[in-house]
Amino acid sequence: ERSVLLRMGISSLDTQKIVNGCMDHGLMGKGAGHCVYKLSKIENISIPEAGTKLANGEGWDVVAAAFRGGK
């Protein structure tokens, strides 16, 4: 998962935080990269910006709702 995030342009410092966030929110089956991509599309921001937000603990509720069918 971390290597996928690195290839998406996410900083190496943020990759582990995002992977941990995926596990904490039960989204690991969706893939960490998919979570970043989903937030990027929903909020119309770049992939690295979405990664930074998720690494900072922001946007997980939006991503989780989107995978549940909210968006």
Side-chain angles (χ1 to χ4, degrees):
E1 293 297 324
R2 292 182 68 209
S3 64
V4 170
L5 294 171
L6 289 169
R7 288 184 186 127
M8 293 174 73
I10 308 297
S11 82
S12 60
L13 298 174
D14 289 344
T15 58
Q16 191 61 46
K17 295 175 187 174
I18 295 170
V19 169
N20 288 340
C22 284
M23 289 190 284
D24 293 344
H25 292 88
L27 297 172
M28 204 59 182
K30 302 296 183 185
H34 194 181
C35 291
V36 173
Y37 176 78
K38 183 74 85 172
L39 182 64
S40 169
K41 290 301 168 192
I42 291 170
E43 297 196 353
N44 197 29
I45 58 177
S46 71
I47 297 285
E49 286 176 300
T52 299
K53 283 186 81 168
L54 291 174
N56 290 332
E58 303 167 24
W60 286 108
D61 53 342
V62 173
V63 174
F67 281 119
R68 284 193 305 266
K71 268 193 180 174

